[in-house]
Amino acid sequence: MSEHNALNLIAGYSAAVAAKQALERSGSDFQEVRGEVGNAVVQLHPKRLALEVAEIIEETPSTRTLRLVAVDRQPLPPFQAGQYVNLFVDIDGVRTARPYAMSSSPLQRLHYDLTVKRAEGGFVSGYLLDQVMVGQRLSSSGPMGTFHHNPLFHGDDLVFLAGGSGSAPARSMLLNILERGLAQRFHMVYVNSHTDDVIYAEQLRELAAQHHNFTLSELITRPPAGYSGRRGRLNRELLAELLGVPDGKMFYICGPTPFNDSCVALLDELGVPRRRMRVEANGAPKWPNAQAGWPEWVAMDDEVQITVQGRGSFRSRVGEPLLNALERNGYFVENACRSGECSLCRVKLVSGTVFNPQEAHLRASDRDFGWIYSCVAFATSDIEVLL
């Protein structure tokens, strides 16, 4: 096939060429279409979305889904199943944000469903679950993130290992496949601690019964007496039994950080190459002092002084991520993933030392010029930063 014929197969290519030729024949300087590209980009990738809580859906005793619509009731920007928005909140004067994956189908453009599970001691999850009401207005980033199915490279045999609220992006991927009538096979291995922790339980079970290309395998690690389903922790033997031969499968992993790390180790044992695993980042590590390179003379409860150049200083615990400490003391830093990947929250380390955990995907240029990702950086001495 010639290059010209191949280009004609691209949706919209022929129409774009015809429009370009018509403008050239008219002698146009293209003034009449100036700004259209910029406007289209803003609509598809807005920096901020003005949202309103249209409905609050009770999922489990510890989980709710916030159904958010645009304040102007217009369709929301498109997203890839598995992506997230960064939800901005002001809690008692503290401006902060948290990323939440859309759990709704990408085909549903009139609302985003964000499923929120209560985190122990969680500052934002507690606020969203206990204080946010229907009709309340919130703001978020536009959709973002690389944790989604890529049909060109990921293939048709998909396995999603979900722990707890990690089922949110899994549900979005599943609904996308089923509602579009796609040919992909989707196997969801869903692990929870207790039977009443299972989010979307009835819907997932009904969809598994109705669709031959969706398999649901549930596992409860702390089952009640008399429970007849699969129990215990996910291990190599059980995973091999559920999956069969792993060759050719694409694996998505989303859950608490220990769950993610365990799943990666199990898949390694089964011979799954890392290029066939997609792992969703899940915030700063709770125990950075357990990672290699942590200075052994520094305790998590030690206090350090953090100075924002030209703007003031405050005290903070070593074990508190730098971004959280900055926000708590009134310093806002642009952020999105809060997991060390997107680099939006980077700040300049002027003096002092910080620990950059394995979650910090620093670029070589960041290391060379002293930039750190504040969402996953931990001050291990008095430091000065430039925002």
Side-chain angles (χ1 to χ4, degrees):
M1 180 183 293
S2 69
E3 179 181 357
H4 177 73
N5 289 335
L7 289 173
N8 284 331
L9 295 176
I10 299 175
Y13 176 78
S14 298
V17 170
K20 174 178 177 292
Q21 292 172 343
L23 288 169
E24 289 172 344
R25 287 193 297 269
S26 70
S28 169
D29 63 356
F30 301 97
Q31 180 67 38
E32 62 270 37
V33 297
R34 191 161 295 168
E36 287 187 4
V37 171
N39 290 336
V41 169
V42 169
Q43 291 177 17
L44 294 173
H45 304 285
K47 186 174 182 180
R48 290 287 188 273
L49 293 174
L51 304 170
E52 183 177 309
V53 181
E55 186 179 356
I56 298 177
I57 302 166
E58 300 284 344
E59 302 287 0
T60 76
S62 62
T63 311
R64 291 179 177 178
T65 292
L66 304 182
R67 179 156 290 176
L68 304 178
V69 300
V71 167
D72 60 9
R73 299 305 193 266
Q74 293 300 304
L76 291 162
F79 67 92
Q80 298 271 29
Q83 288 189 305
Y84 66 89
V85 293
N86 200 29
L87 195 64
F88 297 93
V89 293
D90 189 320
I91 306 173
D92 298 329
V94 177
R95 295 174 61 203
T96 186
R98 293 293 185 275
Y100 288 99
M102 276 74 76
S103 56
S104 47
S105 166
L107 272 65
Q108 173 53 258
R109 294 276 305 283
L110 292 179
H111 67 253
Y112 292 157
D113 282 349
L114 305 186
T115 299
V116 182
K117 183 179 176 66
R118 189 181 301 276
E120 184 178 351
F123 182 55
V124 174
S125 67
Y127 169 77
L128 294 175
L129 293 172
D130 299 332
Q131 298 186 45
V132 167
M133 299 179 293
V134 170
Q136 186 165 335
R137 293 192 172 185
L138 300 168
S139 68
S140 79
S141 69
M144 60 181 70
T146 59
F147 184 77
H148 57 81
H149 174 238
N150 185 324
L152 293 178
F153 300 103
H154 296 181
D156 293 333
D157 201 351
L158 315 177
V159 178
F160 200 115
L161 306 180
S165 59
S167 59
R171 179 177 184 256
S172 184
M173 288 189 191
L174 172 64
L175 293 177
N176 184 57
I177 290 170
L178 299 182
E179 291 179 8
R180 292 182 186 274
L182 302 179
Q184 280 96 8
R185 296 177 297 281
F186 193 88
H187 187 172
M188 181 176 174
V189 180
Y190 191 14
V191 182
N192 284 281
S193 296
H194 304 97
T195 53
D196 62 359
D197 287 334
V198 184
I199 309 170
Y200 326 121
E202 294 307 317
Q203 182 190 35
L204 292 174
R205 292 163 190 163
E206 289 176 6
L207 291 174
Q210 295 168 2
H211 298 274
H212 70 278
N213 59 332
F214 173 43
T215 301
L216 175 65
S217 299
E218 296 183 60
L219 183 64
I220 302 297
T221 61
R222 300 175 185 174
Y227 180 71
S228 59
R230 290 189 179 90
R231 61 179 64 211
R233 298 190 177 278
L234 198 59
N235 55 49
R236 175 178 176 175
E237 293 71 24
L238 178 56
L239 198 54
E241 175 191 331
L242 294 174
L243 301 178
V245 178
D247 295 352
K249 299 181 190 296
M250 189 71 193
F251 293 87
Y252 305 87
I253 304 170
C254 184
T257 300
F259 173 84
N260 293 351
D261 293 343
S262 173
C263 287
V264 169
L266 292 174
L267 293 177
D268 278 339
E269 291 179 19
L270 292 175
V272 177
R274 289 297 179 98
R275 69 178 183 277
R276 304 300 296 175
M277 303 181 206
R278 306 285 294 172
V279 184
E280 177 67 308
N282 196 23
K286 290 184 178 180
W287 305 107
N289 57 331
Q291 294 190 19
W294 180 270
E296 61 184 20
W297 59 89
V298 176
M300 293 276 282
D301 287 329
D302 287 350
E303 278 200 357
V304 293
Q305 179 160 299
I306 297 174
T307 300
V308 179
Q309 192 175 81
R311 297 173 63 182
S313 300
F314 59 88
R315 304 289 294 178
S316 174
R317 285 178 56 253
V318 166
E320 182 177 22
L322 177 58
L323 177 58
N324 291 19
L326 288 167
E327 290 175 336
R328 186 171 53 78
N329 287 276
Y331 299 95
F332 180 77
V333 179
E334 190 67 39
N335 64 88
C337 73
R338 300 183 78 97
S339 298
E341 292 196 329
C342 73
S343 82
L344 277 179
C345 71
R346 70 179 191 162
V347 300
K348 180 88 168 180
L349 181 64
V350 178
S351 65
T353 59
V354 302
F355 177 71
N356 296 305
Q358 62 188 23
E359 286 81 359
H361 294 239
L362 292 169
R363 296 167 293 196
S365 58
D366 293 322
R367 297 182 186 278
D368 291 343
F369 294 99
W371 292 95
I372 58 176
Y373 296 172
S374 61
C375 67
V376 292
F378 296 85
T380 53
S381 74
D382 294 345
I383 64 170
E384 182 178 3
V385 295
L386 177 62
L387 305 187

